[in-house]
Amino acid sequence: ADVCYPEPVDFINLSVGNAQWEWDFGDASPYDNTFSPTYTYGVADTFDVRLVGITPDGCNDTTLAQVFVFDAPVASFTTVDTCANASAVFTNTSLAPQMGTLDSWYWVFSDNTSSSAFSPIHNFPGAATYDVMMVVYSSNLSCADTALGTIEIFPVPTADFTVANVCDLLPVVPENLSQGSIDTYEWDFGDATPTDFNIDPTHLYGQTGSYDIQLLVTSPDFCRDSLTLPVTVYELPIAQFTVSPVCDGFPASFQNTSTIGFPDNIVLWQWDYGDGSPLEIAVNASHIYPNEQNWDAQLLVVSGHGCRDSLTQTVTVYPVPVPDFSVDIAEGCQPLCVQFTDLSTLTSGHLVEW
């Protein structure tokens, strides 16, 4: 019967009669005198087998048969160790037999899965070292060969961070919460600035707006994970107000002219008059100072996102003149000439009109 190399061939002698038997296996090996021999060929090939039967009287008869010893394919494959978040690719590099062709193949993975694809792509359940077996079959008698190998699936780090929105001119400070074995951190702040390789970076944006921050982490085995989160840089309000000098005892009028860009808005106006009086919450305000001098008044404005700005200006409170005069004679006969002498006082400055 035909066999796959190097399986033995069982020869069944169906001859009748009393004779001596000579088997010629067709490969130049010595004759075999066994009645029904079993023989293993040294190579795969087609062999012409001859059986000669010789009686004690010297009579002989011969029969011929052809035996096919088919070679098996040579099983082989290649693969590359990969990361747990990627597919493992197996490339079938098996060689076809000289007698026939590759007919089928079968893969068995040690995660209890299998495949009949020629060069399968497989996703393993997690990081580990896995055994791989591939069996290939020929078109003749399904002669088979097996290739064994392993593949290492590397663990993947987890990119994670939190970030809070900020006001303009304040740095963004992401909190890095990444886990796993990490070799490099790459921060892209979404504003065309160079990549930041610090574990815990800070970043100051050049203008207000919304940006996407991406963190890319890479393990020592070059496995990668990334996370992208949005961040908003809010516009600052601009604190502005006008106030005019006043005379002592009269209210100073504070006119608020603060602004902020749309769609943000200002939600708090806080006035500190600088004289120890309580703070006042109002859009516009007026205040009577306790005495004449220069006072530093401050306006603090806060936006709906908590962004703030302040402005301090000097308010001048002028002294009020105290009118007084004397006469050299209080009464007399007409015509009476009276000399008036100005005795008015002013703590600072000078009088300009009487």
Side-chain angles (χ1 to χ4, degrees):
D2 299 333
V3 296
C4 296
Y5 178 81
E7 295 176 1
V9 180
D10 293 323
F11 293 93
I12 307 301
N13 192 339
L14 302 177
S15 305
V16 295
N18 180 22
Q20 177 182 347
W21 311 102
E22 291 183 357
W23 291 89
D24 181 355
F25 298 118
D27 61 350
S29 60
Y31 292 153
D32 190 314
N33 300 119
T34 306
F35 181 74
S36 292
T38 296
Y39 183 72
T40 301
Y41 284 94
V43 295
D45 205 345
T46 302
F47 299 93
D48 293 324
V49 180
R50 183 178 64 179
L51 171 61
V52 179
I54 304 173
T55 67
D57 299 323
C59 298
N60 64 78
D61 190 23
T62 300
T63 184
L64 299 174
Q66 200 169 56
V67 173
F68 294 91
V69 179
F70 296 111
D71 60 327
V74 179
S76 65
F77 66 89
T78 61
T79 190
V80 177
D81 297 337
T82 191
C83 302
N85 61 350
S87 299
V89 178
F90 295 89
T91 302
N92 190 338
T93 57
S94 302
L95 300 178
Q98 294 181 353
M99 302 171 67
T101 60
L102 289 177
D103 184 62
S104 60
W105 35 84
Y106 192 69
W107 300 78
V108 178
F109 308 107
S110 62
D111 61 350
N112 297 320
T113 59
S114 60
S115 174
S116 59
F118 182 75
S119 292
I121 297 175
H122 186 64
N123 292 314
F124 288 94
T129 299
Y130 295 90
D131 295 323
V132 181
M133 180 179 73
M134 181 191 67
V135 183
V136 290
Y137 302 91
S138 73
S139 57
N140 292 318
L141 299 182
S142 294
C143 296
D145 189 32
T146 300
L148 301 175
T150 61
I151 184 172
E152 185 172 359
I153 304 300
F154 301 121
V156 178
T158 301
D160 191 17
F161 68 95
T162 61
V163 64
N165 298 328
V166 297
C167 300
D168 194 17
L169 304 182
L170 292 178
V172 170
V173 185
E175 181 182 4
N176 192 343
L177 303 174
S178 302
Q179 296 180 343
S181 178
I182 299 175
D183 194 42
T184 61
Y185 300 83
E186 299 177 48
W187 296 88
D188 181 352
F189 288 97
D191 58 353
T193 55
T195 300
D196 193 319
F197 295 95
N198 290 301
I199 297 177
D200 295 299
T202 62
H203 186 73
L204 185 64
Y205 285 96
Q207 59 186 31
T208 59
S210 296
Y211 301 89
D212 288 329
I213 300 177
Q214 182 189 69
L215 169 60
L216 174 65
V217 295
T218 305
S219 74
D221 299 310
F222 301 102
C223 298
R224 295 185 168 190
D225 188 37
S226 65
L227 176 66
T228 300
L229 293 178
V231 68
T232 299
V233 180
Y234 297 119
E235 187 169 344
L236 290 175
I238 300 175
Q240 292 177 318
F241 67 92
T242 61
V243 62
S244 299
V246 295
C247 296
D248 190 16
F250 290 85
S253 178
F254 295 88
Q255 184 66 38
N256 170 43
T257 58
S258 302
T259 59
I260 191 172
F262 182 83
D264 291 337
N265 61 326
I266 299 175
V267 298
L268 177 67
W269 298 260
Q270 177 180 283
W271 299 91
D272 182 351
Y273 299 114
D275 59 357
S277 59
L279 301 177
E280 184 174 358
I281 306 299
V283 177
N284 299 299
S286 65
H287 183 71
I288 298 177
Y289 281 96
N291 56 273
E292 52 87 11
Q293 69 173 62
N294 289 330
W295 302 92
D296 289 331
Q298 182 188 74
L299 169 62
L300 171 68
V301 292
V302 181
S303 74
H305 296 293
C307 301
R308 55 182 59 200
D309 187 34
S310 64
L311 175 65
T312 300
Q313 294 193 65
T314 299
V315 181
T316 300
V317 179
Y318 294 122
V320 176
V322 178
D324 193 11
F325 66 94
S326 65
V327 295
D328 60 345
I329 184 170
E331 59 181 286
C333 297
Q334 186 180 6
L336 181 65
C337 182
V338 180
Q339 177 67 44
F340 294 89
T341 302
D342 178 25
L343 300 177
S344 301
T345 59
L346 186 66
T347 58
S348 63
H350 58 277
L351 298 173
V352 295
E353 185 177 346
W354 297 262

